[in-house]
Amino acid sequence: MSTISQEATIAETSLLKQPRSVWAVFFACIIAFMGLGLVDPILPAIAKQLHASQSEVTLLFTSYNAVMAVAMLITGAISSRLGIKWTLITGIVIIALFSALGGLSNGIWNLIGLRGGWGLGNALFVATALTAIVSLSNSGTAKAIILYEAAIGLGISVGPLLGGELGAISWRGPFLGVATLMLVAFFSLLIMMPKSKMTNTTKHKTSLLDPFRALKHRSLVVFGIAACLYNFGFFTLLAYAPFVMGLDEHGLGYVFLGWGLLLAITSVFMAPKLQQRFGTVTSMCAMLFLFGLVLLTMGIWTSTQWVIIASVIFAGALLGNNNTLITTAVMNAAPVERSTASAAYSFLRFLGGAAAPYLAGKLAEVFNPHVPFIVGAGFVMISVLFITLNRKHLKHVDHAGAAH
């Protein structure tokens, strides 16, 4: 028993005993993922100070996600030619540049365009970061993925908090803050990442057509379309909920901090247990169904502040579980390289993330504040139905998850 316990202790501590280069990428991941929720607490302030409508302000998410969707298709081709290190650094430089320019801009349409440039940098960085952590880690693939998920969770959690604190000073603060942090990440990667292993380009050059070829696999298309549909709900909550909470920048920052913390904790600790107990696809459908009910609740009681706040925070737990489950499913969905499968899936997923924010803002302007949440709930429920109807094409995903 002592030997088993000693092995368990070694396995547990090895997660934290990583080379400096892994921690440099980990830190940069946290900053990059801050961008997702960073603007949440300052959306009402941007609308007020730049004299923009709700639908115009939600385009900050639309441009970001639309550019990310298209850029995901070319990240493999770029990284296989530049190498992992320089693809990461290029992404960081682009994020820093466009976030700084965003903080200095004076018009909503300039800001929307610059946010799209931020999305390009984020696509290059995010698509390559997992490969970098896995390649550099000395504790195995499974633990490297846990580190990556932890970085995502921390970034999504800290982003709204930082956005709220800096946004209380000025709406420009979060943009300039990210640009500064990205400069720190730039120098840490430049110095800490090894030159030889991570700068050489791969022998196999990825084609621009590879992600499209991957979509010939029915299972990958099913998960991509399902993610596109549920992202209508996800980004309705993220981009539109701040307008109906009636909170200042600090308050919004704390609400989305709670949302992000639950998302982080469940994605790392709870999702694997659900997968083991009930299977990947069944657990995913359950999480999406519950998320649809949460959005419906928000649509019915939109004018009741505590219901909206509690629903947003609770939704973090459901989305954290679902994000990990669907990412795991995609990795086992098709017999193609994981980076190619991820690119094809992300393209479909972010198309939903691009359309949803603007649709939510427009529905509120044309009808009333209840409609965006109800429509978002409808899209999420359709995603559950779509997965269920295509269940026969997804059986191998559960078998692969169980084996893993």
Side-chain angles (χ1 to χ4, degrees), residues 277-331:
R277 183 81 165 80
F278 303 106
T280 305
V281 179
T282 300
S283 300
M284 190 191 311
C285 288
M287 292 301 105
L288 289 174
F289 180 76
L290 290 172
F291 179 47
L293 291 182
V294 168
L295 286 171
L296 186 61
T297 301
M298 294 173 73
I300 295 170
W301 288 284
T302 309
S303 55
T304 307
Q305 187 186 52
W306 73 266
V307 172
I308 297 296
I309 292 172
S311 296
V312 168
I313 294 172
F314 177 64
L318 303 176
L319 292 168
N321 281 319
N322 185 68
N323 287 349
T324 297
L325 290 166
I326 199 166
T327 301
T328 304
V330 168
M331 293 299 100

Side-chain angles (χ1 to χ4, degrees), residues 130-370:
L130 177 57
T131 305
I133 288 180
V134 170
S135 302
L136 293 165
S137 174
N138 56 14
S139 59
T141 301
K143 284 186 169 59
I145 291 173
I146 289 175
L147 270 181
Y148 179 72
E149 292 289 345
I152 292 174
L154 285 170
I156 289 176
S157 305
V158 175
L161 182 63
L162 179 67
E165 294 303 313
L166 294 177
I169 302 168
S170 167
W171 68 264
R172 301 176 190 275
F175 290 91
L176 298 175
V178 165
T180 304
L181 288 172
M182 272 298 171
L183 281 177
V184 177
F186 168 78
F187 286 111
S188 65
L189 287 181
L190 199 62
I191 295 167
M192 294 184 186
M193 283 190 75
K195 293 179 181 179
S196 57
K197 186 178 178 182
M198 305 302 287
T199 55
N200 294 335
T201 56
T202 59
K203 292 179 182 178
H204 169 67
K205 299 294 190 294
T206 303
S207 166
L208 290 173
L209 296 176
D210 283 352
F212 293 104
R213 293 190 186 110
L215 291 175
K216 71 182 181 183
H217 298 283
R218 181 70 173 267
S219 53
L220 192 57
V221 174
V222 169
F223 287 126
I225 293 175
C228 177
L229 291 167
Y230 103 78
N231 261 352
F232 274 86
F234 182 97
F235 281 97
T236 295
L237 181 140
L238 207 59
Y240 179 68
F243 289 107
V244 299
M245 278 194 230
L247 298 172
D248 62 9
E249 291 86 353
H250 288 293
L252 289 171
Y254 288 122
V255 169
F256 280 100
L257 171 66
W259 171 83
L261 286 174
L262 280 182
L263 188 146
I265 292 166
T266 54
S267 66
V268 174
F269 299 107
M270 188 174 174
K273 296 185 185 301
L274 288 174
Q275 183 185 8
Q276 271 187 332
R277 183 81 165 80
F278 303 106
T280 305
V281 179
T282 300
S283 300
M284 190 191 311
C285 288
M287 292 301 105
L288 289 174
F289 180 76
L290 290 172
F291 179 47
L293 291 182
V294 168
L295 286 171
L296 186 61
T297 301
M298 294 173 73
I300 295 170
W301 288 284
T302 309
S303 55
T304 307
Q305 187 186 52
W306 73 266
V307 172
I308 297 296
I309 292 172
S311 296
V312 168
I313 294 172
F314 177 64
L318 303 176
L319 292 168
N321 281 319
N322 185 68
N323 287 349
T324 297
L325 290 166
I326 199 166
T327 301
T328 304
V330 168
M331 293 299 100
N332 297 317
V336 296
E337 288 185 13
R338 289 186 171 186
S339 58
T340 301
S342 178
Y345 159 75
S346 295
F347 168 68
L348 294 175
R349 174 174 58 136
F350 284 115
L351 287 179
Y358 181 72
L359 177 66
K362 212 64 185 171
L363 287 172
E365 288 172 6
V366 174
F367 299 102
N368 59 63
H370 301 263

